[in-house]
């Protein structure tokens, strides 16, 4: 199937660069370009593209404002293009919350080795079967008021494409005294600080970027920092802590869900509960199998609620998942398995 794609960017030079990058893929057809939100609106109505690439920074109606209207009125898969500065990261996180499929660094288009990722993202975006909409934060759940986690219990989570919305939904169901929780979400280095701060504002537990030596504590959620290190847990008994380990990519990623899950299997075994959420590829599947073999309960997000049924599908296929659940039910199951 040819993916009919509309390019929206106020720079003619950038339009040409995006066109050249996407045209290298014979499965992608550029059906039009637009330099403003008004032009984009008209082009989308006339051309009905499968995917839109959208610049965050545009004159007049910004890319974020246009994205919000598009997702509300005419849901369409969107790949956002942004500079991955701290300001760009904050805007990109907002775009992902609003329903963008993924964000791509505009500067990477000038590096052929990195630019080749964009056609793959566009093709993957075209396969999504449902709107990626912002998830409302849920009010405190009364039955969690008396929640007490079992001593030594912990939760480990892995996610990728679609994970921003999924993690907001998941952690919104956690009480303030949730079991210690460690998360790897595939993100550029500049994104994870903004995202952890966003989660900390939206959710009842305390959410922070993991740092070396941070003790795993009740009521704390630790998000792996993006960059050149992997998040692991270390320690013994109930005294466990975060460890940041330099090293090459594992399962194509750095940090890697597999590396985190393997460490959880070694250190926590049956005390741990794992969840693998929406994402492209298969990172986390082998690590989740190790967790299950070590006695952990393992949960996979089901196909119907996954933005991309990749990571959970591979984990399910190799027998790593005890049960598949819709996203809305995963938080309560994780908490139930960790309850005293």
């Amino acid at each position: 199937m040819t993916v009919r794609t509309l390019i929206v960017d106020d720079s003619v030079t950038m339009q040409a660069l995006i066109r050249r990058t996407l045209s290298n893929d014979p499965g992608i057809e550029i059906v039009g370009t637009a330099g403003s939100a008004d032009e984009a609106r008209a082009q989308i109505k006339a051309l009905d593209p499968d995917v839109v690439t959208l610049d965050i920074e545009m004159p007049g109606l910004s890319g974020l404002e246009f994205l919000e209207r598009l997702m509300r009125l005419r849901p369409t898969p969107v790949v956002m293009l942004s500079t991955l500065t701290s300001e760009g990261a904050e805007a990109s996180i907002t775009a992902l919350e609003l329903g963008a499929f993924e964000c791509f660094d505009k500067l990477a288009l000038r590096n052929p080795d990195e630019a080749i990722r964009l056609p793959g993202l566009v093709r993957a975006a075209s396969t999504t079967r449902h709107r990626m909409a912002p998830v409302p934060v849920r009010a405190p759940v009364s039955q969690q008021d008396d929640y007490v986690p079992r001593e030594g219990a912990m939760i480990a989570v892995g996610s990728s494409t679609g994970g921003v919305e999924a993690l907001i939904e998941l952690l919104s169901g956690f009480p303030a005294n949730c079991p210690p929780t460690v998360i790897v979400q595939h993100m550029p280095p500049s994104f994870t600080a903004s995202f952890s701060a966003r989660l900390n504002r939206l959710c009842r537990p305390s959410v922070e970027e993991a740092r070396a030596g941070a003790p795993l504590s009740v009521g704390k959620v630790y998000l792996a920092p993006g960059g050149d290190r992997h998040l692991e847990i270390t320690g013994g008994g109930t005294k466990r802590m975060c460890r940041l380990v330099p090293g090459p990519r594992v399962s194509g990623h750095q940090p890697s869900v597999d590396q985190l899950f393997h460490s959880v299997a070694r250190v926590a075994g049956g005390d741990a509960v794992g969840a693998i959420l929406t994402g492209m590829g298969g990172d986390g599947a082998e690590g989740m199998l190790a967790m299950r073999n070590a006695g952990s309960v393992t949960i996979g997000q089901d196909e119907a609620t996954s933005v991309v049924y990749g990571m959970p599908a591979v984990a399910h296929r190799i027998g790593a998942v005890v049960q598949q659940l819709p996203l809305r039910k995963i938080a309560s199951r994780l908490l139930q398995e960790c309850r005293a």
Side-chain angles (χ1 to χ4, degrees):
M1 183 189 89
T2 300
V3 181
R4 303 174 65 258
T5 304
L6 173 68
I7 298 169
V8 183
D9 197 293
D10 65 314
S11 165
V12 174
T13 301
M14 188 56 66
Q15 286 181 12
L17 191 54
I18 298 168
R19 177 186 286 274
R20 185 165 70 243
T21 301
L22 295 180
S23 296
N24 289 329
D25 189 318
I28 296 176
E29 176 190 359
I30 308 302
V31 295
T33 57
S36 68
D38 287 340
E39 289 181 20
R41 187 182 300 111
Q43 292 275 47
I44 289 170
K45 288 181 179 178
L47 300 171
D48 191 24
D50 300 314
V51 177
V52 173
T53 70
L54 178 61
D55 183 20
I56 282 184
E57 298 173 358
M58 292 195 303
L61 195 68
S62 73
L64 289 178
E65 291 170 317
F66 179 71
L67 175 66
E68 188 277 330
R69 295 186 186 186
L70 179 65
M71 288 303 179
R72 179 162 41 87
L73 302 174
R74 193 186 181 107
T76 304
V78 172
V79 175
M80 300 296 295
L81 273 74
S82 170
T83 54
L84 302 189
T85 61
S86 56
E87 295 81 6
E90 189 68 28
S92 297
I93 296 296
T94 300
L96 293 169
E97 282 188 70
L98 289 172
F101 177 78
E102 190 61 279
C103 292
F104 188 82
D105 184 5
K106 295 176 78 169
L107 299 179
L109 290 170
R110 303 184 186 280
N111 183 335
D113 292 335
E114 297 180 19
I116 58 174
R117 289 185 53 246
L118 183 58
L121 287 177
V122 168
R123 279 188 277 102
S126 72
T127 66
T128 57
R129 296 180 302 280
H130 64 283
R131 171 188 176 184
M132 291 177 289
V135 178
V137 178
R138 295 180 292 186
V141 182
S142 59
Q143 59 262 38
Q144 292 180 3
D145 290 345
D146 61 350
Y147 183 81
V148 177
R150 186 178 71 254
E151 185 176 5
M154 65 164 294
I155 294 170
V157 180
S159 54
S160 187
T161 307
V164 167
E165 303 97 315
L167 288 171
I168 291 172
E169 165 76 0
L170 181 79
L171 296 180
S172 294
F174 278 25
N177 64 334
C178 69
T181 301
V182 287
I183 299 172
V184 168
Q185 158 70 32
H186 296 154
M187 277 185 160
S190 57
F191 278 36
T192 47
S194 294
F195 187 43
S196 59
R198 184 79 59 96
L199 289 171
N200 190 54
R201 291 194 298 271
L202 292 174
C203 306
R204 291 181 288 278
S206 172
V207 184
E208 61 187 50
E209 269 194 308
R211 65 185 191 283
L216 299 192
S217 305
V218 170
K220 293 276 192 177
V221 177
Y222 307 87
L223 180 70
D228 58 358
R229 294 177 295 174
H230 297 282
L231 173 61
E232 296 183 349
I233 66 163
T234 186
T238 59
K239 296 192 180 300
R240 308 182 186 115
M241 64 185 67
C242 297
R243 177 166 66 178
L244 299 177
V245 183
R249 292 176 181 267
V250 174
S251 304
H253 295 279
Q254 195 180 38
S256 163
V257 181
D258 267 328
Q259 187 131 341
L260 173 63
F261 282 179
H262 277 294
S263 75
V264 172
R266 290 191 305 269
V267 174
D271 283 338
V273 184
I276 191 163
L277 308 180
T278 174
M280 295 170 60
D283 185 27
E286 293 292 342
M288 177 157 275
L289 181 60
M291 285 182 63
R292 183 174 186 181
N293 289 339
S296 304
V297 173
T298 53
I299 307 299
Q301 186 174 349
D302 67 5
E303 183 175 7
T305 62
S306 293
V307 171
V308 180
Y309 187 58
M311 289 161 52
V314 176
H316 184 258
R317 187 168 65 245
I318 68 173
V321 172
V322 171
Q323 184 182 17
Q324 291 195 109
L325 290 172
L327 178 61
R328 68 182 182 279
K329 294 186 177 181
I330 293 178
S332 59
R333 177 65 193 278
L334 294 175
L335 295 170
Q336 174 188 340
E337 292 295 336
C338 293
R339 191 165 199 146

